[in-house]
Amino acid sequence: MEKTSLGRTNLMVSRTSFGALPIQRISLKDAEYLLRKAYNNGINYFDTARKYSDSEEKIGYALSDVREKIIISTKSHGETGKELLEHIDISLKNLKTDYVDILQIHNPSFLPVPGHKSGLYEALLKAKEMGKTRFIGITNHKLNIANDAVLSGLYDTVQFPLSSISSQEDLALIELCKKHNIGLIAMKALSGGLITNAASAFTFLRQYENVVPIWGIQKEWELDEFISLEGNPPNLDQEMIEIIEKD
């Protein structure tokens, strides 16, 4: 499984990574099987969130015995620093670990900065000082907030929707993150199901070495498809470009 460095974190993550939102929809045993198969095939980065019901618990159940060999990010949707610190304690218990690699603020409506009345940024730093997270990040669906987060230099990683049908304006975030050495995590790489050709989605994002897609995986055949693509990455040739243009 090919790996890349996640910006200034220097975390070496699998370029095919696991978005764990969908596993909240399957049983504990099915999730265990899927997560373990992903790990056994070289996927080492798993992204979850406090808000994804029992997703964290399933990761803890399936992978706690290999904790030191994997990279975990989770998110807090707390609106205050107090809530964020409460969330990380719950997340650590669920994940059966005493730290996460990246703690992210989950899609805030503003950019948390030092001195903001929410206290969110200070809480991130406190969680890091206490050893509960190694790095800090932010996720967002608004480009202006994602851009501002990169330019602020306050965050180690940014998570943003990126896919083969993203606008050029959105795709410019890739170069911005590269310039500032900020880890860029791509959510919704299949555009929430609008893109049905996994190969074209995979191939488009693979051209950007600093982009780490977290593919939302719920079924074994989905995982198998990404493992197969990783083993034999398609070329971004004219045929693939035509598929993307049609989408």
Coordinates of all heavy atoms in Angstrom, one line a residue, residues 23 26-38 58-59 61-63:
I23 N -19.6 2.8 8.7 CA -19.7 1.6 9.5 C -20.6 1.7 10.7 O -20.9 0.7 11.3 CB -18.3 1.2 10.0 CG1 -17.7 2.2 10.9 CG2 -17.4 0.8 8.8 CD1 -16.4 1.7 11.6
I26 N -23.6 -0.7 10.0 CA -23.5 -2.2 10.0 C -23.2 -2.7 11.4 O -22.9 -1.9 12.3 CB -22.4 -2.6 9.0 CG1 -21.0 -2.0 9.4 CG2 -22.8 -2.2 7.6 CD1 -19.9 -2.5 8.5
S27 N -23.3 -4.0 11.5 CA -23.2 -4.6 12.9 C -21.7 -4.5 13.3 O -20.8 -4.3 12.6 CB -23.6 -6.1 12.8 OG -22.6 -6.9 12.1
L28 N -21.6 -4.8 14.6 CA -20.2 -4.8 15.2 C -19.3 -5.8 14.6 O -18.2 -5.5 14.2 CB -20.3 -5.0 16.7 CG -19.0 -5.1 17.5 CD1 -18.4 -3.7 17.5 CD2 -19.3 -5.5 19.0
K29 N -19.8 -7.0 14.4 CA -19.0 -8.1 13.8 C -18.7 -7.8 12.3 O -17.6 -8.0 11.9 CB -19.7 -9.4 13.9 CG -19.7 -10.0 15.3 CD -18.2 -10.3 15.7 CE -18.1 -11.0 17.0 NZ -16.7 -11.2 17.4
D30 N -19.6 -7.2 11.6 CA -19.4 -6.9 10.2 C -18.3 -5.8 10.1 O -17.5 -5.8 9.2 CB -20.7 -6.5 9.5 CG -21.6 -7.7 9.2 OD1 -21.1 -8.8 9.3 OD2 -22.7 -7.4 8.8
A31 N -18.4 -4.8 11.0 CA -17.5 -3.7 11.0 C -16.1 -4.2 11.4 O -15.1 -3.8 10.8 CB -17.9 -2.6 12.0
E32 N -16.0 -5.1 12.4 CA -14.8 -5.7 12.8 C -14.1 -6.4 11.6 O -12.9 -6.2 11.3 CB -14.9 -6.7 13.9 CG -13.6 -7.4 14.3 CD -13.8 -8.5 15.2 OE1 -14.9 -9.2 15.2 OE2 -12.9 -8.9 16.0
Y33 N -14.9 -7.2 10.8 CA -14.3 -7.9 9.7 C -13.8 -6.9 8.6 O -12.7 -7.0 8.1 CB -15.4 -8.8 9.1 CG -15.0 -9.4 7.8 CD1 -14.2 -10.6 7.8 CD2 -15.4 -8.9 6.5 CE1 -13.8 -11.2 6.6 CE2 -15.0 -9.5 5.4 CZ -14.2 -10.6 5.4 OH -13.8 -11.2 4.2
L34 N -14.6 -5.8 8.3 CA -14.2 -4.9 7.3 C -13.0 -4.1 7.7 O -12.0 -3.9 6.9 CB -15.4 -3.9 7.1 CG -15.5 -3.2 5.8 CD1 -15.6 -4.2 4.6 CD2 -16.7 -2.3 5.8
L35 N -12.9 -3.6 9.0 CA -11.8 -2.8 9.4 C -10.5 -3.7 9.5 O -9.4 -3.2 9.1 CB -12.1 -2.3 10.8 CG -13.1 -1.2 10.9 CD1 -13.7 -1.0 12.3 CD2 -12.6 0.2 10.4
R36 N -10.7 -4.9 9.9 CA -9.5 -5.8 10.0 C -9.0 -6.1 8.6 O -7.8 -6.2 8.4 CB -9.9 -7.1 10.7 CG -8.7 -7.8 11.4 CD -8.1 -6.9 12.5 NE -6.9 -7.5 12.9 CZ -6.3 -7.1 14.1 NH1 -6.9 -6.3 14.9 NH2 -5.2 -7.7 14.4
K37 N -9.9 -6.3 7.6 CA -9.5 -6.6 6.3 C -8.8 -5.4 5.7 O -7.8 -5.5 5.0 CB -10.7 -7.0 5.4 CG -10.3 -7.3 4.0 CD -11.5 -7.9 3.2 CE -11.0 -8.4 1.8 NZ -12.1 -9.1 1.0
A38 N -9.3 -4.2 6.0 CA -8.6 -3.0 5.5 C -7.2 -2.9 6.1 O -6.2 -2.7 5.3 CB -9.4 -1.8 5.9
K58 N -16.5 0.8 17.2 CA -16.2 -0.3 16.3 C -14.7 -0.3 15.9 O -14.1 -1.4 15.8 CB -17.1 -0.2 15.1 CG -18.6 -0.6 15.4 CD -19.5 -0.3 14.3 CE -20.9 -0.8 14.6 NZ -22.0 -0.3 13.7
I59 N -14.1 0.9 15.8 CA -12.7 0.9 15.5 C -11.9 0.4 16.7 O -11.0 -0.4 16.6 CB -12.3 2.4 15.1 CG1 -12.9 2.7 13.8 CG2 -10.8 2.5 15.1 CD1 -12.6 4.2 13.4
Y61 N -12.9 -1.7 19.0 CA -13.2 -3.1 19.1 C -12.3 -3.9 18.1 O -11.7 -4.9 18.4 CB -14.7 -3.4 18.8 CG -15.1 -4.9 18.9 CD1 -15.3 -5.4 20.2 CD2 -15.2 -5.6 17.8 CE1 -15.6 -6.8 20.3 CE2 -15.6 -7.0 17.9 CZ -15.8 -7.5 19.1 OH -16.2 -8.9 19.2
A62 N -12.2 -3.4 16.9 CA -11.5 -4.1 15.8 C -10.0 -4.0 15.8 O -9.3 -4.9 15.4 CB -12.1 -3.7 14.5
L63 N -9.5 -2.8 16.2 CA -8.1 -2.5 15.9 C -7.3 -2.1 17.2 O -6.2 -1.7 17.0 CB -8.1 -1.3 14.9 CG -8.7 -1.6 13.5 CD1 -8.7 -0.4 12.7 CD2 -8.0 -2.8 12.8

